[in-house]
Amino acid sequence: MVEAPKFIILGATGSIGTQALDIIRSSNYQLVAFSYGYNTNVALKIIEEFKPLYVSTQDEEGAKLIQTKYPNIVIYTKEEGNNKIASLYPNDAIVINALVGSAGLKPTSIAIETGHNVLLANKETLVIGGEIIKKLVKENNVSLIPIDSEHSAIYQLLKGHNNKEINKIILTASGGPFRTYNKEDLLNVKVEDALNHPNWKMGSKITIDSATLMNKGFEVIEAYHLFGLEVDQIETIIHPESIIHSMVEFKDYSIFAQMGPSDMHLAINYAINGPEHKECDILKPLDLTSVGSLHFEKLDLEKYQLVKMAYTALKKGEFYTTVLNAANEVCVELFLNNKISFVDIERIILEEMSLFASKECLLEFTIDNILHLDQQIKNKIKNKYNS
Ligand code: MG
């Protein structure tokens, strides 16, 4: 009998992590190791069901609790834990990185260096370390498959095609909960309003990124690193229904779109069970007659300054995207904790980017230096606004 494929999930109790577990469960695959932050209750349920041999957590108390209940499980804690988990079963397990933020970069690089194919939901890995990660993927002869609905769409659409056939790819954006708001309306939005995404149910960090459209900016950078296209071949468009997950325009102006329900299970299933399109009992069909009509609007880069800034940072390269991501991460945290307003997010990020542009950065572009600068920027902004 052939052994079921082995999976390792980084960030297993989050939104993508739990949906990945749904697919692993219904595909009868093995979960051999996982990491999580502080949600020990959910972690215990995962252990009970999947019986993994290794667990890592940020929660020291949770670690003790798990060890008492399951003395045979090997437990790692803190930051180093994700790296340990990412290196297990070298050349033999598939790593799903569902971590949030820059914390995902190092574990991705370790997973690749230890011979794992990586299914990547942590887009920040590519936003801040794209050039390095691409090189590692090549050197270690592994694959890096996106779990992001837009990138999964492009990845599916490009199957059997070659980049010479492509004019451009078009990433769709719902526009988030404030699509129809003007500048004055945005001054009064609350955390609850920003967390109320019209189409997708996601973790809080990415939901705020979708409300500011920083997420779409990050996805432009992510697409650049994944698909080997030029920056100006990557376009964005507002499509409020989120039914078309993204599109490719070929040289003959034929446009291919990938459609489906706004359900991340679809992209996760394709990453786990692709490149064939395989059935999975939790996937639901989309009734187009109930959708009725699809709409498209220009994504105005003057209105959405963070998307424009993502293009700028991508063109400038190296540490520009580190600063963009670090400033965003800390601003989202400050906003969620009611320390700054919604419009402050964009203002502080743009301010940090212009400060960085005025200085010369002589650091060598390495993962350690990226993470060091990341921490510096975050501390600086936190100290200023976290009072
Ligand atoms: Mg996306």
Side-chain angles (χ1 to χ4, degrees), residues 251-287:
K251 290 284 181 194
D252 57 1
Y253 300 111
S254 167
I255 297 175
F256 282 29
Q258 187 263 342
M259 301 195 272
S262 314
D263 177 359
M264 282 309 294
H265 286 108
L266 185 54
I268 299 169
N269 183 58
Y270 193 75
I272 289 179
N273 284 312
E276 281 173 51
H277 291 273
K278 290 204 184 126
E279 62 183 355
C280 176
D281 54 18
I282 52 173
L283 299 176
K284 304 250 174 351
L286 170 68
D287 174 12

Side-chain angles (χ1 to χ4, degrees), residues 60-73:
E60 309 256 11
E61 288 305 307
K64 283 181 206 153
L65 193 69
I66 292 170
Q67 196 70 90
T68 315
K69 275 191 94 162
Y70 300 94
N72 294 330
I73 290 183

